[in-house]
Amino acid sequence: QAGPGLAPADEAGRSRRVAGVYADLSADLGERWFAQAATRYDHYSDAGGAGTGKLSARWQPAPQWALRGALSSSFRAPSLAQSAFSYSVANYGDGGVLSQVRTLPVDSEAARGLGARPLKPERSRQVGLGLTAQPLRGMSVTLDVYRIDVKDRITLSERFSSPALSALLPGVEGVNFFTNAVDTRTRGADLVAQWQGKAAQGDLQLSAAASASHTRIRRTEPLPAALAGLGVSGLPVGLEEANTLTTAAPRQRQVFSAQWTGAAWGGLLRATRHGKTTRVFDFGDGFTPTQTYGATWQLDAELEWRPTRQWALAVGGLNLTNRYPDRSSDDIAYFGNLPYDVLSPIGFNGAYWYARARYSF
């Protein structure tokens, strides 16, 4: 069997209890200032607790525009699946010998023996500054810039392998597990413009949105001593996982949409431009093929008819022009079995059509 996947031995039972309390205070500090302060405390029976907070303010010097800003902190406990998930993939190793690549539960005896540690909660700090404006009647524009620092980010480790590790775990060619091995920083900006008005005896809304962001890894933990002692080299989060966190998703995206709603008919037209992405693979022995995929446009549309107040019938489609991402190079296409990258933002299934009936009561 090519992909054993989930086996009976992978079954796990996990539970947790969560309690939280929060307080929020907001007030108008004069005619032009609005301020808000919030705090909360959450406690997880398996991951401990933490307090977080937020301070935000909005200043409106003129009726048509305003400035806003916020400082906040966040806490995210590891999910139960990240702590307990296990999985197997069959692989033909040296000499055509069938072996397994295992994703180990981080709290399993095998993972702990390889240096895995219980997952810690992610903690983050965010700072943002924004500008809102209404330059014309029915029109609004917002611009926000932000920075997000995540400490102890939870991600899947690289695949670890060595002859000594395979001898320790017979039939297993490589293993990986979830880890808190990196800290990341994301900087970005969002620009949104909207207009609402009357057109063709109905309501028309036009919008344009553009986003840009950049994520970099600020810290990476060293390899656990137990793995180093088995002849494993590198870092817990190496080229492939670092690529997943940084450049495997588009850094830029633009969305343009028009939505019209009439008495009995309505429609939506949306065009999305997904920016370019770069994928990096590490097949070992210094073979690290890299490919950059070009930007891609996606067109979506929907038409809705409401014959009565209760019924609404719609037909629509996603990726109407049947666009596909760039084909993967021979180095990363796995002998032609994966001609398109599995992380492509436009997907690899082409156009998708649908029909929908809704009854309201």
Side-chain angles (χ1 to χ4, degrees), residues 219-297:
R219 176 195 64 91
T220 302
E221 288 185 353
L223 192 71
L227 284 170
L230 293 173
V232 176
S233 59
L235 296 170
V237 176
L239 287 175
E240 287 195 12
E241 290 304 319
N243 167 242
T244 302
L245 295 173
T246 55
T247 59
R251 291 182 175 179
Q252 293 87 31
R253 182 177 280 112
Q254 296 84 40
V255 183
F256 307 92
S257 64
Q259 185 171 8
W260 180 84
T261 304
W265 292 87
L268 170 68
L269 183 65
R270 180 176 58 238
T272 304
R273 181 184 182 273
H274 306 283
K276 67 179 182 179
T277 60
T278 299
R279 296 282 278 126
V280 182
F281 296 82
D282 188 354
F283 293 113
D285 297 326
F287 183 44
T288 57
T290 300
Q291 182 170 351
T292 297
Y293 298 88
T296 307
W297 281 93

Side-chain angles (χ1 to χ4, degrees), residues 195-207 257-270 302-306:
W195 179 86
Q196 293 180 335
K198 297 291 184 178
Q201 299 180 343
D203 297 321
L204 177 64
Q205 177 176 319
L206 304 177
S207 67
S257 64
Q259 185 171 8
W260 180 84
T261 304
W265 292 87
L268 170 68
L269 183 65
R270 180 176 58 238
E302 180 178 291
L303 179 65
E304 185 179 72
W305 175 47
R306 296 178 297 279

